[in-house]
Amino acid sequence: MAHSNGPQHVTLHGRDAVVVVDAEEFKRLKGERTGELLIEALQASPHRQTEIEPPRSAMPVRTVKL
């Protein structure tokens, strides 16, 4: 019915609980995930110059007989 008649409201105890929409309409409303908002947020951060790479420490190396 959501495909042919539009969004379908589902109630619980007389109040709107969920709305069922056509899959294509949902995709249109949701938009495509591109990561663009995350990139913009990171670029706008006042801490963007903060080093986030973990410190490296030397690990012991065992000898191997070949």
Side-chain angles (χ1 to χ4, degrees), residues 1-8 20-23:
M1 287 183 68
H3 181 67
S4 59
N5 297 338
Q8 303 294 303
V20 179
V21 296
D22 179 64

Side-chain angles (χ1 to χ4, degrees), residues 29-50:
L29 292 170
K30 184 178 171 191
E32 189 170 328
R33 291 184 179 181
T34 62
E36 205 169 300
L37 290 176
L38 176 60
I39 292 169
E40 288 175 11
L42 290 172
Q43 288 175 340
S45 171
H47 304 289
R48 63 185 276 194
Q49 300 304 321
T50 302

